[in-house]
Amino acid sequence: EYHDQKHSRKNALKDGQAWCMNCKKAVNMLDPKIKRVNRYIAMIQGTCETCGRKVNRATSASKASQGEK
């Protein structure tokens, strides 16, 4: 019961969005770039459109490579 309530508040980020730690909300990324961390993980790094700080979003390397095409 408690577990269901806790996880029901989560919302998936849309493509091109990341969580800004400064603004404390989901923001659109400006000029996103893909950086591979290792064989399985890639980071999408961009700039927050609201405050101008760097924002990062982790994704699987396979999803990142599909996004590059």
Side-chain angles (χ1 to χ4, degrees), residues 2-60:
Y2 172 75
H3 187 267
D4 294 335
Q5 290 174 353
K6 182 178 177 184
H7 290 287
S8 66
R9 286 184 261 152
K10 287 188 177 183
N11 293 326
L13 294 172
K14 297 175 184 156
D15 288 341
Q17 284 188 330
W19 186 263
C20 181
M21 301 298 280
N22 190 46
C23 299
K24 296 181 176 72
K25 63 179 182 176
V27 295
N28 292 323
M29 287 189 282
L30 301 176
D31 193 31
K33 294 184 173 113
I34 298 172
K35 295 185 177 184
R36 289 184 65 107
V37 176
N38 61 31
R39 183 175 166 188
Y40 306 104
I41 300 172
M43 295 295 288
I44 303 172
Q45 187 176 53
T47 307
C48 174
E49 68 178 359
T50 308
C51 65
R53 292 190 183 207
K54 285 184 184 179
V55 291
N56 295 298
R57 180 174 178 178
T59 187
S60 67

